[in-house]
Amino acid sequence: MTTSELTIPQAAKGTSDRRPGRRRVMGAGKQLHAGPVTYVVLVVFALVSLAPLVWTAVAASRTDRRLAETPPPLWFGGNLFKNLQAAWDQAGLGTAMFNSTLVAGAITVSTVLFSTLAGFAFAKLRFRFSGFLLLLTIGTMMIPPQLAVVPLYLWMSDLGWSNQLQTVILPSLVTAFGTFFMRQYLVQALPSELIEAARVDGASSIRIVWHVVFPAARPAMAVLGLLTFVFAWNDFLWPIIALNQQNPTVQVALNSLGTGYVPDQAVIMAGALLGTLPLLIAFLLFGKQIVGGIMQGAIKG
Amino acid sequence: MTSPKQALAQPASSADAASGSQPGAARGAHGRGGPAGADSWRSRLYRWDMKASPYAFVAPFFVLFGAFSLVPLLYTAWYSLHDVQLSSLDHQTWAGLDNYKNLLSSDFFWNALQNTFSIGLISTVPQLLAAIWLAHLLNYKLRGSTVWRVVMLTPYATSVAAATLVFTLLYSWDGGMVNWVLHFFGVDPVNWRESDWGSQFAVSSIVIWRWTGYNALIYLAAMQAIPTDLYESAAIDGANRWQQFRHVTVPQLRPTILFTVVVSTIGATQLFGEPLLFGGVSGSKGGSEHQYQTLGLYMYDQGWIIGNLGKASAIAWSMFLILLIIAVINLVLTRRLRKTQ
């Protein structure tokens, strides 16, 4: 398995106020300053990154007819709120947002909790078959979700759960990736001496988890939580099979907006804007943490 | 930050539940008087706790993971050998290898396989090259370095559906931004929805847009771990910046590059949301001529639009086998690379 031979850059201890920017300044003596060309290229990359999002808002503020004309609009029009209202109503985005929040929230809490517990066991505890079980976990990270979809669909139909949210939540409650991620973090971030000391004091395993592991794992739990939330919010394949238009997640609702038979492009853009807004807000609030987390773990969700 | 707090608030109850059969365990912490032998009941409990708790900690993960990932994997293999129709789920008859034979003789399957490869190639290669370049730039001492990183990662935080809908409009035949810009440079408009390479490029560009910044950050992390004296000695040997990049940075990044290649390959094999939405009404067909129908789309189309779940299972297992083959090739190549060095 290739994943096991990676050198994964680990977080230094006490990363709770980890700020990538800070760390760089410390070793900056040897670091080369960026020249003007670098800044120009970076500005181009930044524009490519941001322009489609900004233009979504521009298109959402126009009319369908205007969007079909050449040249395309480059600045805002006056229809934004009308289109947002229409998208909200047509796609049932109220229900969809509520559903997505519930689904992604439940998946995030469960994944973070169980990944931390299992990751801790793999990182610091000795038990039979632990090596084999960890290898199994890593090995299964490459199984595509497509491989579980048919049986899950049949089982959920049998249970009469088609079109209900637990159908979407249950299969995603844990991920192999999350467990591996927490294990990698805890191997270094949690000193074994701390656990030994707590053991000598006669602390039970539950107390150790509560008072030693969780505090030490906190930064990684936050990052895993954010990544899991983004991943769950964006999940497409299983929700589109398991849910219908009466009870959609945001992705399913947007899909129905895009496949409408009388597509109004401005309304679709308004829907796209609304559908990605919660993630963008979360990203604006926690962007630094997500960046720091990805750089720590060198991971992919 | 509320989400980690919620996560932290949760464990108490479920961790208790996980090892609820040892009610006195928590109390043990207070009684740290004499040596463990003084209270044999307590010490036995303590030893039992030591032995059982690792299993209690990994149990929820393996139970849930097994039930919803590993067991279904085997069931999918079972269903792939059956005739299972969406319209009559109760009538499942043994079909042997029929579904697989069916696939191998289907032009659409080979078409989807080929599309998955070509879209995978034109989305992964430019994406990773751009990511290395971007990481290299971000590795310089920059003003507002964190801001740059956050900006580059923004596409990752965009919902798949939203991003695809926007790109679909950008690529539209008339009035589309892309063709308008091309016209500016005197290039004839491209039919991004209907043409083979045009549509595959369009779908790939959505993937590239969303993931380049993400991979750049992974490379950046690895670059920052490269010892600076390697560069210093290279500079003393008279290597210019490009030679330093070529002979120090890239070799040092090799494990990370391998990692991103593997992960991107897996992602490319599963590509689903982007082509589905890009196709609009006939999304599951992957365009009027199946120009960009990937294996993921083909499976969804066969299983839930046409309603042949047995065949869909066979497609899923084919995807798995292809991934296994890629993994083996990857392993062999890595070994060989290491031997030659």
Side-chain angles (χ1 to χ4, degrees), chain B residues 58-211:
Chain B
V58 295
F61 167 69
F62 277 106
V63 167
L64 290 168
F65 188 66
F68 295 111
S69 295
L70 295 183
V71 175
L73 174 82
L74 301 176
Y75 266 93
T76 303
W78 177 249
Y79 288 130
S80 76
L81 301 173
H82 284 76
D83 182 29
V84 188
Q85 298 294 329
L86 195 62
S87 48
S88 55
L89 290 179
D90 295 330
H91 296 281
Q92 297 164 9
T93 50
W94 177 258
L97 291 173
D98 281 3
N99 285 322
Y100 290 95
K101 281 184 202 149
N102 221 320
L103 278 188
L104 294 179
S105 61
S106 155
D107 288 343
F108 292 127
F109 173 72
W110 294 109
N111 172 59
L113 186 64
Q114 198 189 329
N115 287 347
T116 307
F117 269 111
S118 56
I119 295 177
L121 208 64
I122 53 179
S123 62
T124 306
V125 174
Q127 179 194 147
L128 295 183
L129 288 177
I132 285 200
W133 189 28
L134 187 55
H136 178 69
L137 296 178
L138 289 171
N139 200 23
Y140 285 120
K141 200 183 168 200
L142 285 170
R143 275 169 193 284
S145 60
T146 310
V147 177
W148 290 111
R149 293 174 196 183
V150 171
V151 167
M152 301 304 175
L153 196 62
T154 319
Y156 167 76
T158 311
S159 103
V160 192
T164 309
L165 291 172
V166 177
F167 274 81
T168 308
L169 186 53
L170 289 173
Y171 279 118
S172 59
W173 171 249
D174 32 43
M177 183 76 82
V178 177
N179 276 342
W180 179 67
V181 172
L182 285 181
H183 175 75
F184 239 39
F185 292 100
V187 181
D188 285 339
V190 177
N191 194 340
W192 299 105
R193 300 291 287 281
E194 302 298 328
S195 63
D196 277 10
W197 280 100
S199 61
Q200 293 202 2
F201 175 85
V203 170
S204 304
S205 69
I206 307 169
V207 180
I208 295 171
W209 181 71
R210 283 191 67 232
W211 290 100

Side-chain angles (χ1 to χ4, degrees), chain A residues 155-212:
Chain A
W155 297 345
M156 298 296 177
S157 305
D158 273 353
L159 288 168
W161 282 357
S162 315
N163 211 18
Q164 291 181 32
L165 292 186
Q166 68 265 34
T167 312
V168 182
I169 296 173
L170 275 174
S172 304
L173 282 177
V174 294
T175 58
F177 162 75
T179 298
F180 180 64
F181 174 73
M182 290 311 299
R183 188 247 169 210
Q184 290 304 92
Y185 182 83
L186 286 173
V187 162
Q188 289 203 356
L190 177 61
S192 300
E193 295 80 28
L194 267 181
I195 303 168
E196 295 303 321
R199 284 241 188 270
V200 171
D201 282 359
S204 68
S205 300
I206 304 168
R207 277 186 84 85
I208 291 176
V209 165
W210 184 246
H211 290 288
V212 182

